Amino acid sequence: MPSTPIHDIELSYVDRGNGDPVVLVHGFPLDHRMWDAQIAAVARRYRAIAPDLPGFGRSGSRSNEAFTMEQFADDLAALLDARQVHTPVVMCGLSMGGYIALEFWKRHRSRLRGLVLCDTRADADSAAGAALRCQTADRVHREGPAVLIETMLPRLLTAATVAGRPEVVESLRGMMAGGDARGVAAASRGMAQRRDFTPLLAAIDCPTLVLVGGEDVISTPAEMAAIARDIPGARLVEIAGAGHLSPLEQPVAVSAALMQFLDGLPQ
Ligand code: MLT
């Protein structure tokens, strides 16, 4: 997997295919492999760029206490510079990747052609939620990211996938254990600090697809429907038989929805 210097670290990424660029931003605490099926689908007609965010997968990490969503968005802009991407991109992010995609819209609007918000949320953490997240971050820092598997994994997938698709569960476990302890903890603290995007949704002025697993218990279909309602002209697609990680659980349906959106964008 290639890498490039970005700000103060080495960032690993996949860059495959030709044509209009599409950036796929993974969720927490995963890496670019959660998009493997979508990278393959997108790269048939477009250019798919899928990084491991700082602290995750094979990318380098930093020593900051918190990695903010703003910093991650700026890292993505720097990655686009490094890859000589000067045309506007479609930014597709799942969950934490969605928080980052929203920040990318806020900070780098001229570089954006479209947004895909998958299984994500617009609101900030509650005070209690943020405090809990910081406690979890301290534990991850001390004991490593694998401690998240027990508490988080059953909430990421449908019960049917957990019970009947061991290959999906195993690949997820591998990703969840693979990050840098300090970096994963810092990203968790950064999510606790993220802004409330709800009042800004009405100002989003690029084509947007909102995609949600029908059984997502973290960013529920009702919450995602509210996001789609608030973004002018946004399209909502609900993926049956998927929880929070719809691209992993229902790769064919998610790739089809993504490709339909990409193919329909104005040139
Ligand atoms: C994710 O999948 O990225 C996480 O569920 C995000 C979060 O914990 O808010």
Side-chain angles (χ1 to χ4, degrees):
M1 188 178 181
S3 67
T4 183
I6 293 296
H7 300 135
D8 50 344
I9 62 152
E10 196 67 19
L11 197 88
S12 297
Y13 61 88
V14 167
D15 185 348
R16 196 176 307 159
N18 297 296
D20 292 327
V22 180
V23 183
L24 298 151
V25 192
H26 63 80
F28 174 93
L30 310 178
D31 62 44
H32 78 280
R33 289 174 293 173
M34 61 150 284
W35 295 115
D36 275 351
Q38 289 72 39
I39 292 169
V42 168
R44 282 188 211 114
R45 287 208 281 285
Y46 303 98
R47 179 175 177 185
I49 300 173
D52 285 348
L53 292 165
F56 295 88
R58 297 197 179 177
S59 284
S61 193
R62 299 184 169 116
S63 56
N64 312 27
E65 184 73 6
F67 296 169
T68 65
M69 302 303 106
E70 289 90 334
Q71 282 166 337
F72 281 139
D74 291 351
D75 287 330
L76 294 180
L79 174 64
L80 294 178
D81 290 340
R83 300 303 303 145
Q84 314 270 326
V85 176
H86 303 302
T87 51
V89 304
V90 173
M91 186 66 66
C92 169
L94 180 132
S95 201
M96 180 180 76
Y99 311 153
I100 297 166
L102 287 169
E103 267 318 320
F104 192 90
W105 167 76
K106 180 101 181 61
R107 296 166 78 79
H108 303 284
R109 171 66 188 96
S110 64
R111 302 191 78 158
L112 201 58
R113 186 164 162 252
L115 263 181
V116 184
L117 302 172
C118 300
D119 300 282
T120 192
R121 305 174 60 182
D123 57 354
D125 282 358
S126 64
L132 187 64
R133 222 193 257 282
C134 292
Q135 277 172 25
T136 306
D138 293 344
R139 189 161 172 227
V140 168
H141 193 167
R142 280 194 314 271
E143 299 172 38
V147 298
L148 294 169
I149 292 174
E150 197 186 318
T151 49
M152 259 190 104
L153 191 141
R155 288 169 53 76
L156 295 175
L157 302 170
T158 59
T161 298
V162 172
R165 293 171 67 191
E167 73 292 353
V168 174
V169 175
E170 271 322 294
S171 99
L172 181 55
R173 288 174 72 93
M175 280 187 257
M176 293 181 79
D180 169 72
R182 185 191 283 216
V184 172
S188 193
R189 293 191 198 96
M191 287 193 286
Q193 296 172 19
R194 76 185 188 281
R195 82 171 86 222
D196 179 8
F197 247 95
T198 316
L200 298 175
L201 294 177
I204 293 180
D205 53 353
C206 58
T208 302
L209 171 66
V210 176
L211 201 145
V212 62
E215 297 173 50
D216 188 342
V217 293
I218 296 176
S219 40
T220 63
E223 280 177 270
M224 295 294 288
I227 292 177
R229 251 193 326 268
D230 284 353
I231 300 177
R235 173 146 189 263
L236 175 69
V237 174
E238 192 172 310
I239 304 290
H244 191 57
L245 297 182
S246 49
L248 262 187
E249 283 192 282
Q250 297 298 340
V252 174
V254 169
S255 298
L258 180 58
M259 292 304 282
Q260 192 183 27
F261 174 73
L262 296 173
D263 291 347
L265 285 174
Q267 281 309 308

